[in-house]
Amino acid sequence: MSDKLLYEKSDNIVTLTLNDPDVRNAISDEEMISGLVDALHRINDDYDVRCVILTGAGTAFSSGGNVKKMQRHDGMFAGGVYNVRVGYLRGIQRIPLAMYELEVPIIAAVNGPAIGAGCDLACMCDIRIAGKNARFAESFVKLGIIPGDGGAWFLPRAVGNSNARLMAFTGEQFDAEQSLQMGLVSKVVADDKLMDEARALARRIAVNPAYGLRMAKRLLREGERTELQTLLDMSASMQAIAHQGEDHKEAVNAFVEKRKPVFKNR
């Protein structure tokens, strides 16, 4: 695993920490991109994992693209039009694809500014909790560019069309309370309580069976783009599988016996 992305597993919860505070956890460098993508694939393959927390080291969640490298036309920003297009396709755009394919619920614990692609990264998560010093900005227009990492797809799904356009067209920063009002985050907590709150929520999720969580997330994701009848067909098939599983049997027995269920790791 890359030093730029810390991977910590405790019980059924994985905490991923963007670990490049010198550049405020920019996510456009290859080492960070590969580290994050590899971690997401690793989680999908580990059926013991039931929830993920994503946060940033230092005072920022993520500054998004490395602006100094943009200025130097370095890394994924190097070369002419064709080269830059390929740089995005083979670079930062691997992150939204991997995040979209992540089967496990993921919580963004936004500990500071989430700017540009950093804001989009938070939007790729299922749930967002913000510390009081968190800031969000879809700031691409301020640099004369556009959301090249899929933000135009993720942001409207997080805050609705009107607020997404407000953020994208102004490029302005919104503080934690403003972000709460527009539905970008679910909760705002004191900065020093952020990770405690994220872990507590992750534990509330992780008490549930792994397969049930993965299937529920898949259905919610498919529900954003499919017709009702198609989703009902998928739901019937997944439900038939779930009804035959050991997790369902244990949950029903625990309910009848008035005790907490105990789900086995896979």
Side-chain angles (χ1 to χ4, degrees), residues 138-206:
E138 191 75 352
S139 56
F140 300 94
V141 70
K142 295 292 189 183
L143 295 176
I145 56 177
I146 51 89
D149 62 332
W153 194 91
F154 288 98
L155 185 62
R157 285 167 168 76
V159 298
N161 286 326
S162 181
N163 281 329
R165 284 158 173 76
L166 173 66
M167 294 180 70
F169 296 162
T170 67
E172 294 172 352
Q173 291 193 21
F174 293 81
D175 65 26
E177 290 298 335
Q178 291 172 314
S179 300
L180 179 64
Q181 291 172 15
M182 67 173 59
L184 181 55
V185 300
S186 298
K187 192 171 187 179
V188 177
V189 300
D191 293 313
D192 61 351
K193 300 294 184 183
L194 177 62
M195 290 307 296
D196 289 341
E197 189 73 26
R199 292 186 187 102
L201 176 56
R203 287 193 293 268
R204 286 164 54 195
I205 293 171

Side-chain angles (χ1 to χ4, degrees), residues 207-263:
V207 297
N208 296 305
Y211 286 120
L213 288 168
R214 291 182 182 226
M215 287 191 289
K217 179 168 177 174
R218 174 68 183 275
L219 286 174
L220 288 168
R221 186 178 66 193
E222 293 298 326
E224 295 176 340
R225 62 180 184 177
T226 62
E227 297 290 335
L228 174 59
Q229 186 58 59
T230 301
L231 189 72
L232 290 173
D233 288 343
M234 287 183 62
S235 301
S237 297
M238 288 187 176
Q239 191 74 303
I241 294 169
H243 271 290
Q244 302 302 314
E246 290 299 318
D247 290 334
H248 173 63
K249 180 180 178 180
E250 166 61 13
V252 170
N253 288 341
F255 180 85
V256 173
E257 296 166 10
K258 295 182 170 37
R259 60 175 175 81
K260 290 184 179 181
V262 178
F263 302 113

Side-chain angles (χ1 to χ4, degrees), residues 10-27:
S10 178
D11 296 325
N12 303 107
I13 299 168
V14 167
T15 300
L16 300 177
T17 305
L18 305 173
N19 187 41
D20 200 358
D22 289 343
V23 292
R24 297 168 67 79
N25 302 319
I27 56 171

